[in-house]
Amino acid sequence: FQASIPDKVDAFFTRDYNMVMPHSKRKPVQGGFLALRPSMETYNEFVNIIRTGHYTKGGGWGDLGFGPFYGSMTFQGIIPYYYDALHPNTAVEVSRCIYNQMCD
């Protein structure tokens, strides 16, 4: 978890640690919980990312390791790519023990 909260938070989400090996650098988000700040700019950027389709079989989104894992071509991979790689320090991971608890 982050040590501090960003000045402006654009997203809150939980991670899905069970979908990847413990040593994996990139962790997917859990598809059941996401709270976003409404933004047409963000929406248009997501549309552009998807239309460009820079997803590789071995490296995931942006060829930066956001995949391959279950759901990496979709929500579970593109959200961490966007908020961890393209826009770091604009999102907060919330405790999966409290929010979106999956009994794991």
Side-chain angles (χ1 to χ4, degrees):
F1 291 101
Q2 289 176 232
S4 63
I5 303 286
D7 290 335
K8 181 182 177 196
V9 177
D10 291 329
F12 294 92
F13 51 76
T14 57
R15 302 261 182 202
D16 199 344
Y17 292 97
N18 296 334
M19 289 292 132
V20 292
M21 298 300 291
H23 66 276
S24 297
K25 183 177 178 183
R26 308 292 190 191
K27 309 295 186 197
V29 299
Q30 213 300 319
F33 180 85
L34 176 66
L36 295 175
R37 177 184 305 275
S39 165
M40 283 305 296
E41 182 179 329
T42 299
Y43 171 80
N44 288 329
E45 192 170 354
F46 270 111
V47 169
N48 185 53
I49 291 166
I50 292 166
R51 284 185 174 164
T52 301
H54 188 197
Y55 182 94
T56 63
K57 188 175 182 178
W61 289 102
D63 205 23
L64 297 174
F66 295 94
F69 46 77
Y70 182 80
S72 62
M73 291 183 77
T74 64
F75 183 88
Q76 290 175 270
I78 198 168
I79 297 296
Y81 169 64
Y82 186 86
Y83 289 106
D84 293 346
L86 302 181
H87 298 279
N89 301 315
T90 61
V92 173
E93 176 186 357
V94 296
S95 174
R96 67 190 182 125
C97 296
I98 299 170
Y99 302 94
N100 199 37
Q101 214 289 334
M102 300 300 290
C103 298
D104 55 11

